[in-house]
Amino acid sequence: MRKKFVQLAAVFTAACMMLCACGTNNNETSDSEQGKDTSGDTVIRMATMTTGFPLPMHHANKTGVFDDLGLNVEEEFFDNGPTINEAIASGDIDIAGVGGMPSVSGAISNNSKVIAWMEDDESSVQIYARNDSDIVSAGKGKNENYPNIYGTADNWKGKSVVCAMGTSSHYTLLAVLETLGLTQEDIELINMEGVSGAAAFLAGTGDLYVGFNPQWSEFYSKPDEYTCVATCADTDKKLNTVLIASEEFCENHPDLLVKFLEGMLKVQNDFYDDAKYYYESMYEWQNTFGECSEELAQYTVDLQVMRSLQERRALFEEKNGSSEMQDTLLSIADFMIDNNVIEEEDKQKIIEDKFVDSSYLFEAIDNLNAE
């Protein structure tokens, strides 16, 4: 079991230290980076992000659950889904937790497969403004169809927004703008990844910041200075996090994928059965990368609710040729088409390629139920 910390850029260093602690990757090439360890066993190169939803994967690796299943898992940390997709494309990552939008773009560019649901993500992607913003002073309820979103179209129009393009944060921003009758052309997008973007916003860059937990933790903890003015949950759009695997790994190591899922599902089920254990694990996890209060850890647990094995299976069971999981991701694809992020033929391609593959999940759940 090894860890490598990659892609955690340090911008506005002093402010970043307040938000998130991270390591750097060295330039040495090990046997495991070629997909084999020194004994010749296959290494599963797992990508996670420093946010709440990958906790079950990380915890299974840290506590030896994967080891007990005979798996050799190497954990690498990334800023966001697009950088993970790049690593999959270059052959450096086998399996990863990503948001809905990167899972669609990864299926288009890499033929990667969605093999499991992680958690719902609508409430954990949040948009913050400083309290002196006219969006905050306008308050909620200006749009009767979306009463929890602060401000009006006039308040939002022309604002500079710090947000990582191609991520669930970007999806959330576009969804909120749509409720206001606006598009990305109506705002100034400052494209920065979550951690450095949060540090930049803290230092005064931009009028708004969009990020996922715990990138916005500094703003959440200072309600006298910052206000959450919208989340994806305040729109009518669905958003979730999923587990994806590279096409090559699916083809060459289906047995390892099933075992990996058994380990991750075991941890998820333990969290589902024991809320205190879930909270304690989240608190420890979030304090690995920065300072996390007990309140924030509990808030994260409340946002990212675990589901039972039966509920997870139901998301992937097909009815009339499609599953709830596929329908949700295709609705994200439709939204990406409407916002000129992808083309209609891209959507048709991933449907034809059967980008949602339930076979590994179903086998893993059957194995766990048989124990």
Side-chain angles (χ1 to χ4, degrees), residues 244-314:
I244 64 173
S246 71
E247 181 182 35
E248 180 182 8
F249 204 80
C250 288
E251 291 176 352
N252 295 333
H253 303 288
D255 55 332
L256 296 183
L257 277 182
V258 172
K259 283 187 174 294
F260 182 96
L261 283 169
E262 287 179 30
M264 188 186 77
L265 288 167
K266 181 182 184 305
V267 171
Q268 288 175 322
N269 211 42
D270 288 344
F271 288 163
Y272 175 79
D273 289 336
D274 190 339
K276 184 173 183 291
Y277 179 48
Y278 181 24
Y279 157 75
E280 291 172 345
S281 301
M282 182 66 74
Y283 179 73
E284 180 182 6
W285 163 240
Q286 293 198 311
N287 273 292
T288 302
F289 299 99
E291 294 184 6
C292 173
S293 66
E294 294 180 355
E295 178 191 3
L296 179 59
Q298 185 61 58
Y299 181 51
T300 302
V301 167
D302 292 340
L303 290 179
Q304 297 176 322
V305 179
M306 290 288 116
R307 297 195 188 191
S308 68
L309 292 179
Q310 292 75 16
E311 289 172 321
R312 292 174 185 277
R313 184 183 189 114

Side-chain angles (χ1 to χ4, degrees), residues 17-128:
M17 291 176 65
M18 298 173 63
L19 290 160
C20 179
C22 61
T24 57
N25 189 27
N26 59 41
N27 294 321
E28 296 179 1
T29 300
S30 67
D31 289 332
S32 62
E33 289 173 323
Q34 304 302 317
K36 299 284 185 180
D37 64 13
T38 54
S39 66
D41 291 336
T42 298
V43 174
I44 301 176
R45 298 163 300 176
M46 175 182 77
T48 57
M49 292 181 277
T50 56
T51 183
F53 81 85
L55 171 61
M57 303 161 60
H58 167 79
H59 201 69
N61 198 32
K62 177 185 175 183
T63 59
V65 174
F66 288 147
D67 292 337
D68 292 342
L69 290 167
L71 300 177
N72 188 349
V73 177
E74 179 183 273
E75 186 172 12
E76 302 187 22
F77 291 83
F78 288 77
D79 292 330
N80 51 46
T83 57
I84 289 174
N85 281 335
E86 291 173 5
I88 290 176
S90 62
D92 295 325
I93 288 296
D94 304 309
I95 193 166
V98 299
M101 191 166 171
S103 74
V104 171
S105 56
I108 294 168
S109 60
N110 300 330
N111 292 325
S112 53
K113 305 299 180 184
V114 175
I115 62 172
W117 175 87
M118 299 290 289
E119 285 132 33
D120 291 330
D121 210 27
E122 292 94 348
S123 296
S124 62
V125 184
Q126 303 186 356
I127 303 178
Y128 279 83

Side-chain angles (χ1 to χ4, degrees), residues 19 79 124-130 135 156 159-164 167 169-170 172-173 188-190 192-202 205-220 226-231:
L19 290 160
D79 292 330
S124 62
V125 184
Q126 303 186 356
I127 303 178
Y128 279 83
R130 299 180 188 87
I135 294 176
W156 284 71
K159 291 292 191 286
S160 56
V161 185
V162 179
C163 177
T167 66
S169 298
H170 189 201
T172 295
L173 173 61
E188 177 191 351
L189 181 63
I190 303 173
M192 298 183 72
E193 64 85 18
V195 174
S196 57
F201 185 65
L202 187 66
T205 298
D207 300 309
L208 297 163
Y209 170 76
V210 193
F212 43 78
N213 181 25
Q215 296 167 351
W216 41 252
S217 61
E218 183 79 8
F219 315 123
Y220 171 81
Y226 303 94
T227 295
C228 176
V229 295
T231 72

